């Protein structure tokens, strides 16, 4: 089974110019739907340059601010994110160790076997039914991040991802 056909994984708007695509067609991609933008970032996606142009430009600017250099083209972002998603030559998710204090709002971590998102001074556990338990985030030690390091850097530089309202419940 093939996991992906190319390196660019994008997060699109649910509606854009009344476009419609059939689902589950052989030899064609199938749309994925995410709970919110932070979940899509944890999966290694970036904002679409067409239907989410403003978010894409803000993401690129935060990327450049965090990592240095000019505004990166989509191909460079895609290549970098692709290298950060999976353990090389496997289908295994690549985790990244980051100090807890350096994790920004919207970054996902793996905590006690469950995914959780950083929301200010808290960790909020994510489930397929939405955000659930809230706990204080650790201040010392290192976290295993799910969100790729380049996106974590963009979040740290000020990109604010869309989070479902249940995160604050």
């Amino acid at each position: 089974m093939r996991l992906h056909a190319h390196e660019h994984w994008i997060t699109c708007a649910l509606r854009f110019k009344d476009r419609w695509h059939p689902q589950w067609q052989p030899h064609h991609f199938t749309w994925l739907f995410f709970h919110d933008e932070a979940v899509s970032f944890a999966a290694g996606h970036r904002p679409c340059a067409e239907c989410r142009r403003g978010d894409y430009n803000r993401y690129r600017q935060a990327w450049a601010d965090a990592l240095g250099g000019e505004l990166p083209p989509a191909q460079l972002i895609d290549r970098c994110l692709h290298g950060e998603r999976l353990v090389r030559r496997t289908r295994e998710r690549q985790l990244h160790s980051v100090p807890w204090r350096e994790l920004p709002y919207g970054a996902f971590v793996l905590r006690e076997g469950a995914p959780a998102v950083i929301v200010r001074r808290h960790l909020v556990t994510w489930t397929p039914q939405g955000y659930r338990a809230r706990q204080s985030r650790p201040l010392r030690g290192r976290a295993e991040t799910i969100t790729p390091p380049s996106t974590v850097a963009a979040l740290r530089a000020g990109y604010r991802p869309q989070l479902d309202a249940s995160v604050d419940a």
Side-chain angles (χ1 to χ4, degrees):
M1 179 172 110
R2 185 171 73 173
L3 293 177
H4 50 80
H6 48 76
E7 293 179 346
H8 51 278
W9 294 7
I10 57 175
T11 303
C12 293
L14 289 176
R15 295 183 188 272
F16 182 70
K17 295 185 178 182
D18 294 324
R19 292 182 184 167
W20 180 84
H21 294 279
Q23 291 282 64
W24 307 106
Q25 299 296 309
H27 310 293
H28 289 83
F29 77 94
T30 295
W31 297 97
L32 299 175
F33 295 91
F34 292 100
H35 190 79
D36 59 24
E37 187 176 33
V39 172
S40 77
F41 282 172
H45 294 246
R46 63 158 172 88
C48 177
E50 182 182 14
C51 66
R52 296 186 58 218
R53 190 63 169 187
D55 292 327
Y56 171 73
N57 286 334
R58 283 187 291 281
Y59 180 84
R60 287 174 65 212
Q61 185 62 61
W63 179 294
D65 291 347
L67 302 173
E70 300 294 317
L71 288 178
Q75 291 171 325
L76 177 82
I77 293 171
D78 294 340
R79 192 170 38 253
C80 186
L81 289 174
H82 186 69
E84 294 174 349
R85 282 191 284 263
L86 301 175
V87 174
R88 196 172 159 101
R89 294 186 184 103
T90 73
R91 294 181 182 188
E92 183 181 330
R93 182 72 192 173
Q94 185 170 337
L95 300 177
H96 306 273
S97 180
V98 176
W100 280 105
R101 289 186 180 274
E102 293 180 14
L103 288 171
Y105 180 92
F108 262 84
V109 300
L110 195 58
R111 178 79 168 163
E112 298 172 0
V117 67
I118 303 291
V119 179
R120 293 172 285 285
R121 295 175 298 172
H122 296 95
L123 282 175
V124 183
T125 303
W126 184 87
T127 73
Q129 293 75 39
Y131 293 103
R132 296 291 186 250
R134 175 183 293 262
Q135 60 183 318
S136 295
R137 74 187 264 183
L139 298 176
R140 294 187 201 131
R142 299 182 74 81
E144 293 299 309
T145 63
I146 301 170
T147 305
S150 297
T151 296
V152 169
L155 296 174
R156 194 178 302 117
Y159 185 91
R160 189 80 167 191
Q162 178 269 329
L163 285 166
D164 183 78
S166 68
V167 81
D168 289 319

